[in-house]
Each structure stands twice: as structure tokens, then as C-alpha cells.
Amino acid sequence: MSAVPVSNSTAPEQTMRIRRTTTHVGADILDVDLSRPQSDATYRRMRKALIDHGVIFFRDQNLTSRQYEDFARHFGEAIRPKSNFMPVHEGSEIIAEVRKDEGMDRNIGGTWHTDQVFRTNPSWGTMLLCREIPEHGGDTLFLSMCAAYERLSEGLKKTLETLRAVHDNTGVQQRMKTGKPADPPVSHPVVIRHPESGRKILYVSPSYTTHFEGWTEAESRPLLQYLYQHAQQPEFFCRFRYEKGSIAFWDNYQTWHFAVNDYDAGERIMHRIVVNGPPLAG
């Protein structure tokens, strides 16, 4: 269960603007200083923007780790999922450091995926605060799995709504050479409803989905590959260019993301916090 968000009902109201990034996914949150306390109404507007647009972006946020943690807690229980390839940031129990070290050919998150889908209770919200970024490169792509579902034929929608998919992180653990055993496979409905908006979402992930429950992997592969190709249409996604102090905050239930691996080791450092939210709704 998610924690009750922190209340700041006495904080002064700030003028905040929301600007849609693309038709289907993404919104910029403008004219807000997250180092200062916000009103409850402002945090509610941010949350609604996140649910409406799948991912929200902030610029020029000069936050300490403590201020960053406090911001995250306004949206639920802030946690750091245990991982052997994202070390804890010194001085924090909930901030993980996302970086590409010397000798790493691949970056973290360099495939289309949604976070923690391989768990019984997947992550709801993930946020990255940019601490270091190269002069060029290091962007993240986001796409809307609500839009991907809505563009499917009615016949395929009906078929998918009867299915569950199995998700497994064995491949990622091996690829990242963590030495950590894989989590037990789990299954989720292929079509879920967002617990807050009620929109239907195509809930499969190229990095983790192995097959449909009751189907073999060979039988599942053609349909899964079709769904993956369908979802990756350019009109479903946006691309975010970070600067120092940028924050990307996304809703894992309704989006995929892809960290582009076009930078050298040590050039890109992100601080990551995960926020637990409402449980998945089938």
C-alpha cells in the first residue's frame, strides 16, 4: 500500500503552468520551484498531470537530496528497490544512483521497458533527477501504452482482454551481469485499467514479458512481436533532453521508457526514486 502523501496545506500557492509535450504522452511543469513547499492543491495538479500525460518534466530544480526525497513523498511511499546495478546514493536510503561506469558497454535502461513488471506489485512512479549530463546525448524516450491499446482493432482488443502475460527478469539480470538470482516469474493481465483514470493500458514489456499464460513461448512470440512493433510508432512517444536539475517523473503503469545509450562512462549521473502507488487494476 502507498503511504499517505505529506500535507502542506498552509504552503503558499504558486503559479504553475502545465504544457503538453506531445499529443499522447508528456507534459512540462513550468513556473514552480520544488525547493519550496507547495500547497496541497499544487501537488494534486501535478499528480493529475502525471496521470493525464503519463510523464511530467521539470527544469532548473536545484534540490538537495533531502528536498528531492521530500518532493517524492508527496506522491506516496518513496522507496529504493534492491538492485545490484544501481547503488544507493551516499547519505540516502531511498535514492539510487544511475550511471554508466568504466567497462560498461550498455547503460541502465537501454531497452524499451516498464519498471518492475516482473513483480507481484510493480512500481507505480519513477523519478530521475539529473545531476550530470554530457553536452549531447543521454536522452530518455517515453511512450504511451494507453494510446497503443486504443489504436488496436476491436477484435484484437477482445482477444487480449482474455489473456494474462508472464514476466521474468532473468534476461536482464544476465545482461547486466549482476550475479543476482532472478525473481520468480509473475503474471499480470495483458490489458489493465489505470487505477486512477480508468483508461485501459496494454501491459506487456519487451525486456520482461516471455509468453502468455497457457501458451508456449513459440506460440506467444508472433503476437508479442506484433504488439511491440505496434507500440513503437513515433506518434506514441516523446523524447526528453535533460539538463542539470531536470526531473522526469513517469507513471510505469501506462508508459514504456528507453534510456538512449549514446554517451560515455561517467558523463551521465541520475538520482532515482521510486514511489509506490495504488495497486494494478485488471
Side-chain angles (χ1 to χ4, degrees), residues 95-264:
I95 298 175
E97 194 160 280
V98 182
R99 63 177 189 250
K100 185 167 76 170
D101 293 328
E102 293 293 339
M104 290 176 63
D105 295 327
R106 302 189 63 158
N107 63 342
I108 295 170
T111 58
W112 282 115
H113 67 288
T114 186
D115 292 340
Q116 311 293 314
V117 66
F118 53 86
R119 293 188 172 161
T120 303
N121 298 303
S123 299
W124 166 60
T126 303
M127 55 181 71
L128 288 182
L129 169 57
C130 179
R131 295 302 195 186
E132 297 289 341
I133 197 72
E135 290 185 7
H136 53 80
D139 299 356
T140 302
L141 312 180
F142 298 91
L143 66 78
S144 170
M145 295 304 286
C146 294
Y149 170 81
E150 289 162 1
R151 290 286 188 88
L152 294 170
S153 69
E154 293 303 313
L156 185 50
K157 288 178 184 176
K158 289 179 182 178
T159 296
L160 295 176
E161 287 173 12
T162 67
L163 300 177
R164 295 179 67 88
V166 177
H167 313 277
D168 189 333
N169 71 340
T170 300
V172 171
Q173 294 292 347
Q174 293 174 345
R175 198 159 55 240
M176 298 303 296
K177 301 177 182 178
T178 66
K180 179 182 176 183
D183 293 81
V186 302
S187 71
H188 298 294
V190 172
V191 179
I192 62 171
R193 281 189 180 273
H194 194 281
E196 296 192 24
S197 72
R199 290 182 73 186
K200 289 186 177 181
I201 304 164
L202 179 59
Y203 198 63
V204 291
S205 178
S207 294
Y208 299 111
T209 307
T210 57
H211 61 284
F212 299 113
E213 202 170 66
W215 297 30
T216 66
E217 291 192 17
E219 291 167 339
S220 303
R221 193 171 299 117
L223 180 52
L224 285 173
Q225 288 301 319
Y226 172 79
L227 295 175
Y228 299 155
Q229 291 171 7
H230 167 77
Q232 292 174 50
Q233 295 180 66
E235 59 263 39
F236 296 155
F237 67 79
C238 68
R239 182 172 186 137
F240 184 59
R241 168 63 182 161
Y242 297 93
E243 299 167 343
K244 278 190 179 183
S246 297
I247 296 176
F249 181 15
W250 63 93
D251 178 340
N252 279 297
Y253 293 169
Q254 60 174 307
T255 59
W256 285 357
H257 58 284
F258 187 120
V260 182
N261 186 27
D262 60 349
Y263 56 93
D264 293 329

